Amino acid sequence: MTLHGLIFYLLASVILASTGMAITRRNLVHAVLYLVFSFIGSALLFCLFGAPFLALLQVIIYAGAIMVVFLFIVMMVKPDLSEGTVLPLRQLLPMVLFGFMYAVVGVLVAVTDPAGRAVLETAVAKPTEFGHYVFARHYLAVEIISLILLIGLMGALHLGREKVPKEPEEPS
Amino acid sequence: MWFLGFVLLLLKTAIVLTILLGLAAYLILVERKLLGRFQIRFGPNRAGPFGIWQPIADGIKMILKEDTIPQGADRVVFKYAPAVVATVAILIAAVIPFSRDAILWGYDIPMVISDLNVGLLYVLALSSLSVYGVALGGWASNSKYSLLGGIRGAAQMVSYELPLGLSLVPVVMLAGSFSLVDIVNAQACYPFVVVQPIAFVIFLIAAVAESKRLPFDLPEAENELNAGYHTEFSGMRFALYFIGEYVHMMVLGALVAVFFLGGWRGPWLPPVVWLVLKALMVPFFLIWTRATLPRLRYDQLMHFGWKLLIPIALLNILATGAVMLWLRG
Amino acid sequence: MAGNEVNILRAFYEGVAGLASAYRITLKHLFRKPITEQYPEYKRPLPARSRARIILTRDADGDERCVACFLCSAVCPVSCISMESGEREDGRRYAQWFRINFARCIYCGFCEEACPTLAIQLTPDFEFCQRDILKLVYEKEDLLVDHGGKNAEYDFYKHAGVAVKGDKGTHYQEAAPVNIKTNLP
């Protein structure tokens, strides 16, 4: 096992463990924290694969913005989750199903290539190349996604806008 | 050779840490002194001549204080939240170049701990992570004041990260790189503040909001929330928040210097001195602001960030891009 | 529309100018001489009527003024004054012992106001804190001084029991005596 592989397995186990902790915690803040660890771990994984740009975007967007908003909401509304099971049956079934599928794929991959060679070449994706790749080849997808995001933003704005109450008509 | 590089890295880290923490400790004294003079007082002048032993006295006091954990607090989160703030602030210093490359026995030694090719994003990522120290510290304390401070802090820092990042986009466009070393090298002719005054102002304002200092100190508003998110912290844990804030101020100063004022570039004086001088301008400005402006109201803060700074930053990016395209022909 | 833009520009200008003037004023203060008085090195002379350490004074002849009337002890809100009265052979009363617990005293000055003989007085001397709280219990020896305090000439026995000179209704701001022989207004 190379150093590269060792780091990969270490990181992977950390990610898996923290994700597992995240979905089984009763305390939502702890769950959010474990998820943040998991995101930072996957960012390190990106770094390992030679995409520091993606890694840092992962940290900025997922760990730094989205999870903060999650945390914010959890702190604000303080949901009470002390009752009920952590994983009800209707969530457990799809989980087992997908877990089984991933396990099958993993086993198949491992069996077909027992030497464990890396399928992908490690390549350093510098910001410039990344930008060229995204904006030159996939500009349409980028535009569509940004439009969808804009629509989402406008929808949120519309839903969240304070409704001006009409003047109540004077009873005659 | 590998071993030598490692030793060199450790050496550079040690020097940068020493200078950074020393400056941050003395920044506390400088702030108290300056604030005193702004208010026609003396400020601390009892511990040694001009109070120069004050930071050391403060440190000893902080270490010897009792470390209290409030009842009903989330003990683990409470214990580790202060470390996040300080760690993140210190880690940012790793990508700040402090001199031109030194050539020692034929080897080219870069005068920066780590020249990341995505250094600017690294800075933004770390400053976005420092929210956790504030929000979790506030949440884990099991106190209304702390919780309100933490919520305010989270909302404020997430909101002002956007203008902070957007104001740096023109800098990246001009330098053509995310690396802080390249950004400093791109300012060989003129510092970027000359061509990007609007981005400079937006960055400065957003940086003040990120470091939670007046007039944006709503997360720790003394007269509304006692001390906000660090109300319940005592001893060294409180000191970590404190150190984090001052290190953050120093690091912000260094970042402003790197992004807009030409980094270590300057005539006559050695580069490190230039960087420190430029970096100290921002803390001075922050202290001056603290002595001048009152605290904003919360809705004013949000309006200012979302409705003023972000549109102006976006327009600035657009204008910079247009001018660059036009100049290129 | 054009007027609106001018208004926005003016508002912007005024905002920036306001901020700049605020910064200018604080910067000016930075270079002013501090007005702080450095306390242990420089002690500001306090007014004679500042309320701090309590003394027991003597009248002009050198006699103790205190007649142990217990008025100060009664009026004291924190009950820090205690004493025991005695009588001299000439019938004049005095305090056999007199004790003030300065650890409790709040320096309100009520005792001074209550005292008919001006014996108990507050002085501007406030620097007498102790590490041991019991050292703050002052006995009569510690309280009694050799001077007359704020009103050195005053002597209670020269005023008490002395007939008023002049007839009724002739003194300053005194109404004419009521004629009890008539009920006419």
Side-chain angles (χ1 to χ4, degrees):
Chain A
M1 194 187 283
T2 56
L3 186 67
H4 208 256
L6 185 72
I7 296 172
F8 170 79
Y9 286 114
L10 259 174
L11 276 176
S13 53
V14 166
I15 294 168
L16 281 179
S18 57
T19 314
M21 292 294 268
I23 56 176
T24 50
R25 289 307 92 186
R26 265 194 202 288
N27 191 330
L28 273 184
V29 173
H30 289 180
V32 167
L33 269 181
Y34 278 116
L35 212 50
V36 169
F37 277 126
S38 149
F39 281 140
I40 292 175
S42 34
L44 288 174
L45 218 52
F46 276 129
C47 250
L48 196 68
F49 293 156
F53 184 73
L54 265 178
L56 286 168
L57 281 191
Q58 167 100 359
V59 174
I60 292 174
I61 294 171
Y62 285 97
I66 293 180
M67 292 327 284
V68 171
V69 174
F70 268 51
L71 192 66
F72 186 75
I73 292 166
V74 171
M75 279 161 73
M76 284 266 272
V77 300
K78 251 191 181 175
D80 186 25
L81 295 179
S82 50
E83 301 294 314
T85 51
V86 178
L87 286 173
L89 200 64
R90 62 193 165 84
Q91 287 176 16
L92 199 64
L93 274 178
M95 197 184 96
V96 168
L97 200 70
F98 281 106
F100 182 69
M101 275 167 61
Y102 276 111
V104 166
V105 171
V107 167
L108 281 180
V109 168
V111 165
T112 48
D113 188 11
R117 274 185 291 112
V119 182
L120 294 170
E121 287 282 313
T122 42
V124 175
K126 282 185 178 158
T128 330
E129 286 139 29
F130 183 80
H132 277 297
Y133 180 76
V134 169
F135 286 103
R137 282 215 228 156
H138 300 285
Y139 58 92
L140 197 61
V142 170
E143 287 302 316
I144 290 170
I145 289 169
S146 56
L147 257 181
I148 290 171
L149 281 179
L150 187 66
I151 291 166
L153 191 70
M154 280 156 68
L157 210 62
H158 180 72
L159 288 176
R161 199 171 54 179
E162 234 174 283
K163 296 207 171 48
V164 182
K166 276 184 189 167
E167 291 288 319
E169 289 188 15
E170 282 184 28
S172 52
Chain B
M1 195 57 238
W2 172 87
F3 180 71
L4 207 73
F6 191 66
V7 167
L8 207 65
L9 184 68
L10 278 185
L11 208 67
K12 279 193 289 192
T13 313
I15 291 171
V16 168
L17 261 185
T18 313
I19 293 178
L20 189 70
L21 288 177
L23 277 175
Y26 273 88
L27 197 59
I28 299 174
L29 175 67
V30 167
E31 161 150 45
R32 290 174 65 183
K33 272 294 209 197
L34 275 179
L35 217 54
R37 296 309 290 255
F38 273 122
Q39 295 162 357
I40 342 178
R41 302 183 280 115
F42 280 111
N45 60 353
R46 294 283 148 181
F50 306 106
I52 52 169
W53 307 126
Q54 190 72 41
I56 295 161
D58 284 345
I60 293 171
K61 181 188 124 185
M62 289 291 187
I63 291 170
L64 294 181
K65 281 237 171 187
E66 186 190 354
D67 177 26
T68 57
I69 297 179
Q71 205 173 26
D74 193 307
R75 295 181 75 90
V76 179
V77 179
F78 187 86
K79 278 182 179 169
Y80 290 103
V84 176
V85 175
T87 313
V88 158
I90 291 171
L91 275 179
I92 296 179
V95 289
I96 293 168
F98 46 88
S99 179
R100 65 171 58 84
D101 290 2
I103 294 178
L104 212 60
W105 302 303
Y107 293 117
D108 193 21
I109 299 166
M111 280 293 150
V112 51
I113 293 177
S114 167
D115 178 19
L116 284 180
N117 60 357
V118 284
L120 192 141
L121 288 173
Y122 169 83
V123 169
L124 288 180
L126 281 178
S127 74
S128 74
L129 283 185
S130 73
V131 184
Y132 285 108
V134 174
L136 291 175
W139 175 78
S141 303
N142 190 30
S143 147
K144 295 178 204 59
Y145 297 121
S146 299
L147 184 68
L148 282 171
I151 289 176
R152 280 185 180 187
Q156 172 180 333
M157 288 171 82
V158 167
S159 303
Y160 276 79
E161 249 156 47
L162 274 169
L164 193 79
L166 288 176
S167 68
L168 290 178
V169 173
V171 172
V172 176
M173 285 158 77
L174 287 172
S177 168
F178 282 117
S179 160
L180 268 63
V181 175
D182 290 348
I183 288 173
V184 172
N185 286 338
Q187 300 178 60
C189 309
Y190 51 86
F192 282 158
V193 68
V194 180
V195 284
Q196 287 293 342
I198 298 174
F200 174 70
V201 170
I202 293 173
F203 182 80
L204 204 58
I205 293 173
V208 176
E210 280 285 299
S211 62
K212 302 178 289 299
R213 291 184 57 84
L214 273 160
F216 303 106
D217 70 335
L218 287 129
E220 45 188 302
E222 281 84 4
N223 34 16
E224 301 162 25
L225 303 176
N226 283 353
Y229 58 91
H230 55 56
T231 303
E232 304 290 344
F233 288 88
S234 65
M236 233 19 227
R237 295 189 203 288
F238 171 73
L240 273 179
Y241 272 122
F242 216 63
I243 291 169
E245 182 180 337
Y246 283 85
V247 170
H248 202 190
M249 267 166 86
M250 274 317 297
V251 164
L252 280 176
L255 288 179
V256 166
V258 166
F259 291 142
F260 294 102
L261 303 177
W264 42 262
R265 290 179 186 282
W268 309 307
L269 294 171
V272 181
V273 176
W274 265 114
L275 181 69
V276 170
L277 278 182
K278 286 173 180 173
L280 280 176
M281 279 164 62
V282 171
F284 174 74
F285 176 74
L286 292 185
I287 295 164
W288 189 9
T289 308
R290 180 172 172 186
T292 305
L293 297 182
R295 184 178 304 130
L296 287 180
R297 223 169 49 214
Y298 198 73
D299 59 326
Q300 289 172 333
L301 175 94
M302 285 294 157
H303 278 237
F304 189 64
W306 286 99
K307 294 190 177 170
L308 202 70
L309 286 187
I310 292 178
I312 291 177
L314 285 172
L315 281 177
N316 191 32
I317 294 172
L318 216 62
T320 311
V323 170
M324 280 177 72
L325 270 183
W326 179 61
L327 282 181
R328 210 172 285 169
Chain C
M1 198 59 209
N4 200 9
E5 276 160 17
V6 169
N7 279 345
I8 289 172
L9 277 182
R10 179 173 296 157
F12 178 75
Y13 169 74
E14 279 171 0
V16 171
L19 277 181
S21 76
Y23 276 102
R24 200 178 60 242
I25 285 170
T26 41
L27 193 64
K28 239 190 261 170
H29 277 67
L30 181 61
F31 298 107
R32 276 179 61 178
K33 197 174 172 307
I35 56 169
T36 315
E37 285 167 357
Q38 300 278 308
Y39 161 64
E41 288 93 43
Y42 170 76
K43 286 172 183 158
R44 175 207 290 228
L46 288 169
R49 287 167 62 183
S50 323
R51 301 197 307 261
R53 189 167 63 86
I54 296 173
I55 53 169
L56 286 174
T57 55
R58 294 172 185 274
D59 56 23
D61 319 334
D63 257 351
E64 285 172 30
R65 273 173 171 165
C66 179
V67 294
C69 65
F70 289 96
L71 281 177
C72 51
S73 176
V75 80
C76 182
V78 290
S79 306
C80 69
I81 306 178
S82 51
M83 72 192 88
E84 188 181 338
S85 68
E87 205 169 305
R88 284 199 312 220
E89 276 152 27
D90 59 353
R92 178 157 165 175
R93 284 157 59 91
Y94 71 103
Q96 283 183 341
W97 52 265
F98 195 103
R99 185 178 298 143
I100 296 181
N101 184 354
F102 280 113
R104 291 171 79 173
C105 181
I106 58 170
Y107 308 101
C108 62
F110 283 5
C111 47
E112 187 176 16
E113 278 178 42
C115 186
T117 62
L118 295 195
I120 192 164
Q121 289 184 7
L122 280 80
T123 60
D125 170 30
F126 61 92
E127 298 168 302
F128 62 112
C129 56
Q130 299 285 346
R131 288 219 175 254
D132 182 7
I133 199 165
L134 289 178
K135 285 188 187 163
L136 281 170
V137 179
Y138 275 44
E139 295 293 339
K140 189 173 174 184
E141 309 80 81
D142 310 317
L143 295 166
L144 201 60
V145 294
D146 283 339
H147 55 82
K150 289 170 206 168
N151 199 342
E153 288 83 46
Y154 178 78
D155 191 341
F156 174 71
Y157 286 98
K158 298 231 168 81
H159 295 274
V162 177
V164 180
K165 286 169 194 149
D167 283 332
K168 282 177 183 172
T170 59
H171 292 97
Y172 177 63
Q173 281 194 334
E174 191 182 3
V178 176
N179 187 354
I180 54 168
K181 297 288 164 56
T182 172
N183 55 4
L184 287 174

